[in-house]
Amino acid sequence: MHPLHLRTSGTSLLLAFDRGEAEMVHWGADLGDSIPDLALLRSPIPHSALDVPVVAGLLPQASSGWLGRPGLRGHRMGAVEAEHSVPGYAFSPALRVVAAEQSEDGRSARIVQSDAEAGLDVVSELVLHEGGLLEISHELTNTGGGAYQLDELGVVVPVPAQAAELLDLTGRWCRENHPQRHTIQQGTWVRSGRHGRTGHDSSLLVAAGTPGFANRSGRVWAVHFGWSGNHEQYLDSLADGRRMLGATELLGSGEIVLAPGESYRTPILYAAYSDRGLDGVTDAFYRWFRSRPNHVGTTSGRQRPVVLNTWEAVYFDHRLEPLLELAESAAELGVERFVLDDGWFRGRRDDHSGLGDWYVDEALWPDGLTPLIEKVNGLGMEFGLWVEPEMVNLDSDVARAHPDWIVGPSAASHQDGGRLPLEWRHQHVIDLANPDAWQYIYDLLDALLTENNIAYLKWDQNRDLTEHGHRGRPSVHEQTLAVYRLFDALKAAHPGVEIESCSSGGARVDLGVLQRTDRVWASDCNDALERQTIQRWTQAVLPPELVGSHVGPTHSHTTGRVHDITFRAITALFGHFGMEWDIREATDRDRAVLKRTIELYKRHRGLLHSGERVNADLADPNLKLHGVVAQDRSEALFAAVVHGSLAAEVPGRVGLPGLDPERTYRIEAIMPTSADLPKTVEGDAESPFAEISPPAWLADGATASGRFLAEVGLPLPVLRPEHALLLRATTVG
Ligand code: GLA
């Protein structure tokens, strides 16, 4: 069988079959048209080793000598042929290729591998998208005569020896997506997620790269796993020098047992190669997102509206009058979508009760949500509503009526002596693997969307799924698929409704949930300083139009920090912009800056939500510069951000990356300008700047070539810590 070569956008994937199974010979730089006879790649055989070269398969197997993490683990519970007319050795399959096809456009491949004696087939789908993003998934079918218990089916890509360092992301509530980095050594680096949801600490991206790879330099091989349940991501670095970067669903004991003829499909592993650092990986993901037909944002003509969310404004205080005032105040500023957060439904006065009873609270809303929705719509805004459909409080009508719908490790309900998992925010999980429970939730959400003019759901999920079982068996897998079906069914019935994936902030941010939702809530932390890092790394994979980003109150509710309005505004601008604050109480200056920011956002969201993300590489870790450059390089927005006190007296000249070196640009500082500053004496402690005089170019702007701006840069003003400067670049002539 001939090798298959998938190529596009500077990336090649080469698959060989000469050893009987599918082998990924190369994933990385484009190889051009001419591929030599791959027999030349056969490795030497060292002493004290297997007598044949070991194959690093698309699905690594011990039957080919692979002693790293196996691609497939499972068994037939010790059954042997004589007793059960099934082969007993399915624990070590020898899957060999029976078919390998490449699509006509050359960008995708379908590979069938089979082991008739073990009774297993695996079909692998590989797609290399325009822009360079690679998708891989496998489907395993039990073709044998008895049950097959699946323990693990992983999806891997090879990483070459040039990769010396690994970067992945981790976090916690209010501090999602922080990078960590180490040198690759022998052994396996595993990131396990047993949260039953993606998890605050899940690694949105795992990237291996050449020594010192950075935002805009080095070769990088990076993956993301598109799954919202338990999972493991790993880099397996073997004694023979080979490395595999991969991921698998983390299955519970006995969770997947395939009857004859049944199949299991892995989530998709997304992989991107870049020869220009992490920004190149980001570019591949953005291109893929924006090419999807259901993508919401500039590229599909559906601009992201300015949001006001009520959570940090009123919390559970859902009195109509203040909410109407808030809506008026929001409309005056130019808000386009008003989102009513938690607290509107039956019995929900605080977070101890009500989840599961998705009826508008008659005591609080005697005329339903209509008076608020009509007011909001009348002011020209869309209305959005918070829901948390997967959860239930024991203090709710639904929990009292259907105790058996509450998930736990026991087959019996808690009312019949079964044990419940520990509570988390006083809540439990509703068993969506139970068709009656699923239907109940679907019907209530469907009714809400049918009876009210709701354009947007903030869909929350506020606890880990611990000891999660259905009829005495672990069932995170089934629950995750049932939640996906719920999203899909509601989207099909209400195609215009947008859905946000929120999970105590960013605990469900992944490409599985994003196949059926329209944005994520990156974090419950609205502190602009924290948000700078959270958004930089969330946006390493997700384009800004999918990342909700709100200006919070002056005193951050989650950290207690106080930030100037210009820093909060510039930070929120680089996302799907909104506010989450009782803006009725904002000072005149704050309201003026908010109004100007909303105008800026409306003017520039076309650019922000279609351009290429750039992140400068600067030596001082407290100084950052990031931006969005138009695809045609005609304009750009940059933010220079000072996270903490800088080592040097002045920030120095900072290069503006990503512009066309041959064109001339005009650079202007557009926030803060004198109009945004407090009307107090020069040098006042409230000023974002600490300097006797600003850099020469700042007052009237600068004109220079893209090459000059990138290589020489512009001297930045002396910004105080936790402040930012917004710059705009436009081509001249
Ligand atoms: C979670 C969300 C918040 C808010 C509250 C409401 O914590 O992440 O944004 O919606 O729930 O209870």
Side-chain angles (χ1 to χ4, degrees):
M1 212 174 275
H2 292 300
L4 293 186
H5 186 190
L6 278 53
R7 281 179 72 193
T8 186
S9 316
T11 300
S12 272
L13 172 67
L14 186 62
L15 293 144
F17 308 99
D18 57 324
R19 299 287 306 281
E21 63 182 301
E23 183 182 3
M24 268 199 244
V25 173
H26 168 84
W27 166 58
D30 182 19
L31 299 176
D33 286 329
S34 142
I35 302 295
D37 179 351
L38 296 178
L40 61 84
L41 292 179
R42 193 166 277 223
S43 11
I45 296 171
H47 290 295
S48 186
L50 291 163
D51 294 337
V52 290
V54 172
V55 178
L58 174 61
L59 212 70
Q61 301 171 80
S63 57
S64 308
W66 185 256
L67 300 181
R69 186 166 178 149
L72 171 62
R73 279 192 306 115
H75 59 94
R76 294 190 184 275
M77 289 158 267
V80 291
E81 197 160 10
E83 290 168 36
H84 300 284
S85 66
V86 289
Y89 45 81
F91 75 89
S92 183
L95 292 155
R96 298 295 177 260
V97 178
V98 292
E101 301 150 11
Q102 191 162 2
S103 63
E104 263 178 33
D105 65 6
R107 302 265 175 75
S108 54
R110 182 175 183 274
I111 296 160
V112 185
Q113 303 193 87
S114 179
D115 179 348
E117 290 178 317
L120 298 170
D121 272 6
V122 175
V123 178
S124 304
E125 307 268 0
L126 301 99
V127 187
L128 183 59
H129 293 276
E130 184 69 55
L133 193 72
L134 173 67
E135 261 186 48
I136 311 179
S137 64
H138 305 302
E139 186 172 39
L140 170 81
T141 302
N142 177 11
T143 58
Y148 174 79
Q149 178 170 319
L150 175 65
D151 293 335
E152 177 170 319
L153 182 57
V155 192
V156 295
V157 284
V159 171
Q162 301 160 43
E165 292 171 18
L166 189 77
L167 178 145
D168 60 1
L169 305 175
T170 188
R172 59 163 167 82
W173 180 69
C174 279
R175 196 180 193 269
E176 294 84 344
N177 285 323
H178 274 243
Q180 53 183 9
R181 191 164 178 141
H182 66 254
T183 304
I184 298 173
Q185 295 187 328
Q186 263 183 37
T188 307
W189 176 253
V190 186
R191 296 293 310 281
S192 308
R194 293 188 175 82
H195 301 280
R197 54 178 169 173
T198 322
H200 288 106
D201 61 345
S202 177
S203 195
L204 188 63
L205 192 73
V206 182
T210 46
F213 74 91
N215 292 326
R216 302 192 60 79
S217 65
R219 293 183 171 217
V220 185
W221 296 261
V223 295
H224 166 88
F225 196 47
W227 182 242
S228 315
N230 292 333
H231 61 279
E232 269 185 354
Q233 292 176 278
Y234 47 89
L235 178 85
D236 203 11
S237 180
L238 271 59
D240 71 5
R242 284 188 276 195
R243 290 89 174 269
M244 288 288 192
L245 199 51
T248 178
E249 189 178 354
L250 190 54
L251 297 169
S253 306
E255 185 162 8
I256 302 280
V257 179
L258 299 176
E262 279 185 354
S263 299
Y264 164 87
R265 182 183 264 281
T266 65
I268 297 171
L269 183 81
Y270 297 85
Y273 162 74
S274 159
D275 61 3
R276 51 190 178 102
L278 287 160
D279 281 357
V281 168
T282 299
D283 192 42
F285 277 97
Y286 282 22
R287 284 175 191 277
W288 172 81
F289 269 111
R290 289 171 175 164
S291 69
R292 301 172 312 154
N294 58 344
H295 187 72
V296 181
T298 300
T299 46
S300 61
R302 292 166 69 187
Q303 298 290 13
R304 308 312 317 249
V306 176
V307 172
L308 183 109
N309 178 286
T310 62
W311 183 239
E312 290 196 9
V314 301
Y315 291 102
F316 289 108
D317 182 5
H318 281 203
R319 284 169 299 132
L320 184 58
E321 258 327 297
L323 286 169
L324 295 177
E325 281 172 27
L326 198 56
E328 272 173 15
S329 182
E332 273 165 30
L333 287 180
V335 169
E336 298 164 308
R337 176 180 285 166
F338 183 92
V339 181
L340 183 66
D341 211 282
D342 193 358
W344 57 269
F345 47 98
R346 211 180 267 173
R348 187 69 166 176
R349 296 287 62 78
D350 54 35
D351 61 9
H352 287 72
S353 57
L355 290 174
D357 295 345
W358 301 108
Y359 302 91
V360 180
D361 192 319
E362 300 84 347
L364 210 56
W365 303 88
D367 301 314
L369 295 173
T370 310
L372 180 60
I373 296 180
E374 282 183 349
K375 173 79 172 182
V376 164
N377 291 163
L379 289 165
M381 297 183 288
E382 294 178 347
F383 181 77
L385 191 65
W386 181 95
V387 290
E388 196 180 359
E390 298 146 74
M391 297 293 156
V392 62
N393 289 118
L394 290 186
D395 185 2
S396 67
D397 292 345
V398 69
R400 282 181 281 273
H402 300 283
D404 57 316
W405 288 1
I406 304 171
V407 171
S410 313
S413 85
H414 68 287
Q415 295 215 326
D416 292 328
R419 181 162 63 81
L420 284 178
L422 295 170
E423 285 203 339
W424 179 307
R425 208 192 185 203
H426 322 291
Q427 65 195 53
H428 286 278
V429 184
I430 200 153
D431 184 8
L432 294 176
N434 177 328
D436 296 335
W438 189 97
Q439 196 62 47
Y440 163 85
I441 296 291
Y442 174 85
D443 289 345
L444 288 186
L445 293 177
D446 179 53
L448 269 173
L449 294 174
T450 306
E451 289 159 18
N452 300 285
N453 190 18
I454 295 171
Y456 171 85
L457 287 179
K458 174 178 176 180
W459 184 305
D460 213 336
Q461 197 285 30
N462 278 317
R463 70 158 291 165
D464 282 359
L465 274 51
T466 52
E467 298 193 279
H468 188 98
H470 175 74
R471 299 201 175 128
R473 241 201 212 176
S475 62
V476 169
H477 174 80
E478 254 184 282
Q479 178 84 6
T480 308
L481 293 180
V483 174
Y484 284 175
R485 280 200 306 279
L486 198 54
F487 283 122
D488 292 343
L490 286 162
K491 278 270 186 179
H494 305 276
V497 174
E498 285 178 25
I499 302 181
E500 172 179 63
S501 171
C502 172
S503 186
S504 329
R508 190 155 63 190
V509 176
D510 64 78
L511 272 57
V513 80
L514 272 164
Q515 296 280 28
R516 54 264 303 169
T517 54
D518 306 288
R519 72 169 220 173
V520 301
W521 186 227
S523 180
D524 277 353
C525 186
N526 288 317
D527 173 319
L529 180 65
E530 300 291 336
R531 273 280 176 158
Q532 281 289 334
T533 304
I534 294 168
Q535 289 175 197
R536 186 268 172 266
W537 290 102
T538 305
Q539 292 180 10
V541 173
L542 271 55
E545 60 271 28
L546 300 187
V547 182
S549 181
H550 296 172
V551 175
T554 311
H555 267 90
S556 164
H557 288 190
T558 53
T559 64
R561 281 200 193 99
V562 175
H563 286 130
D564 185 60
I565 184 65
T566 59
F567 182 42
R568 282 139 67 210
I570 293 170
T571 302
L573 200 62
F574 286 83
H576 177 187
F577 179 86
M579 287 164 292
E580 188 161 334
W581 176 17
D582 190 348
I583 47 171
R584 294 174 306 164
E585 291 171 3
T587 63
D588 290 349
R589 177 187 165 232
D590 287 356
R591 279 187 73 86
V593 173
L594 282 178
K595 197 160 187 169
R596 206 166 84 73
T597 310
I598 290 170
E599 283 161 15
L600 280 175
Y601 173 73
K602 288 180 180 173
R603 192 171 328 135
H604 297 300
R605 62 186 154 190
L607 161 67
L608 287 165
H609 297 169
S610 68
E612 189 174 325
R613 163 111 193 179
V614 295
N615 298 281
D617 287 308
L618 302 175
D620 191 325
N622 278 327
L623 179 62
K624 308 276 182 197
L625 183 127
H626 65 86
V628 176
V629 181
Q631 297 292 344
D632 67 2
R633 316 264 159 228
S634 61
E635 54 172 343
L637 283 177
F638 297 99
V641 186
V642 175
H643 286 230
S645 73
L646 302 181
E649 291 161 349
V650 291
R653 290 183 203 145
V654 170
L656 303 179
L659 300 173
D660 183 342
E662 305 306 330
R663 284 154 88 181
T664 303
Y665 292 88
R666 174 146 188 81
I667 309 294
E668 293 162 288
I670 56 173
M671 185 177 276
T673 63
S674 54
D676 307 317
L677 298 181
K679 303 278 174 278
T680 45
V681 287
E682 204 178 316
D684 187 287
E686 278 183 76
S687 168
F689 306 108
E691 57 195 6
I692 306 292
S693 64
W697 67 273
L698 198 74
D700 298 323
T703 302
S705 69
R707 188 181 306 283
F708 186 93
L709 292 166
E711 301 301 334
V712 179
L714 292 174
L716 290 179
V718 186
L719 274 171
R720 291 199 147 112
E722 302 176 23
H723 283 89
L725 180 71
L726 183 66
L727 303 174
R728 177 163 188 237
T730 41
T731 40
V732 177

